[in-house]
Amino acid sequence: MKIPRKAKKQPKINTTALPDIIFMLLFFFMVTTTMQNQNMQTIELPAAFNVDFKSKSNPNDLEIYLLDNSIQNMLKVNDETGNLGNYKQLINHQVSLMKQNGIFVNRAYMYIDENTPMSTVNKVKEELQELNILKISYIHNYESES
Amino acid sequence: MKKRRINHETDSGVFADVSFLLLIFFMVVTTFNKAYELQMNLPPASINQKSGKISKQRLLNIHLNDKSQILIEGIIYNQDGPYSLVEEIQRITAHTKPGLVKINMLASTPYKGYIHFLTRLKKDKEIVVKQMAKDLFAKDFSGLSHKQKQQILSKVKYSIVEKEILEL
């Protein structure tokens, strides 16, 4: 006579106590942990702008991004990026490109890093004056308390 | 007899809950940087800079240094701190001729200080304009007609002159 074998059932592990153990370990490490004090150099990143105030970038606008601090100096005019030392060439090149496409610059939008010295800003402004781009807009994110 | 296979698949139903929880948390706590626009009209480069005399009553002299300080009529303020230009704007615009705001700055003055000052000037001009609307027409500025608005704006008028100086 063949004796039928009992189907082997794998015993289930009771996991009820698992969260208790995890929480106990978590609390232990939370209480005993001390953070290592490290002297780190803080790097101030330039502010990123939310440019939603303009629903669509106008093709007649010239966009200038200016970054001049101890870490790097950079100028971006429309889509062309370069060194600040070449600001005249960069601005002139983009304005002439726009002119070639039959676009005359209406307004220059300037996005400037807060630590940029005013001498740099003034140089760019003078160049815009030379090119007869007299309407400028500073885009910033300061709201003075009133 | 066949062995019953036990399904060892992880229940991924909770992942959606956790993901939604995180998503909602970040959606609630996220704030976007607001951008403000400050418009300016530059003078044509061909115009020669005239150095004429101007009455002290129409002139507001401002000095910006590279230490986040501002000098207004002999008093030093912190650029981030509270200060008001309302009285000064009222003083320089209380004449038939438009006033003049002269911004003296060093080459090393950071852009932050300059834009802080311009923002303050713009805000305080709005206060003066609103005050004038109440004094003249006993109405809010927004409730005035176009002609009345132009009348007030022509009274609160000033130009800005910028000058880079070697030292303060």
Side-chain angles (χ1 to χ4, degrees), chain B residues 55 57-58 90-100 151 153-158:
Chain B
S55 152
Q57 283 301 308
R58 281 170 48 216
Q90 283 169 337
R91 175 176 65 80
I92 63 167
T93 55
H95 309 274
T96 46
K97 286 182 181 176
L100 190 78
Q151 190 185 334
L153 290 175
S154 65
K155 282 187 179 179
V156 189
K157 207 171 182 182
Y158 54 79

Side-chain angles (χ1 to χ4, degrees), chain A residues 5-42:
Chain A
R5 279 188 185 175
K6 272 187 182 176
K8 272 189 183 174
K9 276 186 184 174
Q10 279 199 345
K12 281 184 180 176
I13 302 164
N14 187 3
T15 56
T16 329
L18 203 65
D20 296 342
I21 296 163
I22 302 287
F23 270 112
M24 203 177 70
L25 287 169
L26 177 68
F27 289 142
F28 171 75
F29 286 112
M30 276 171 69
V31 170
T32 56
T33 301
T34 49
M35 298 290 172
Q36 206 175 14
N37 227 345
Q38 285 186 342
N39 289 326
M40 284 183 284
Q41 192 189 3
T42 52

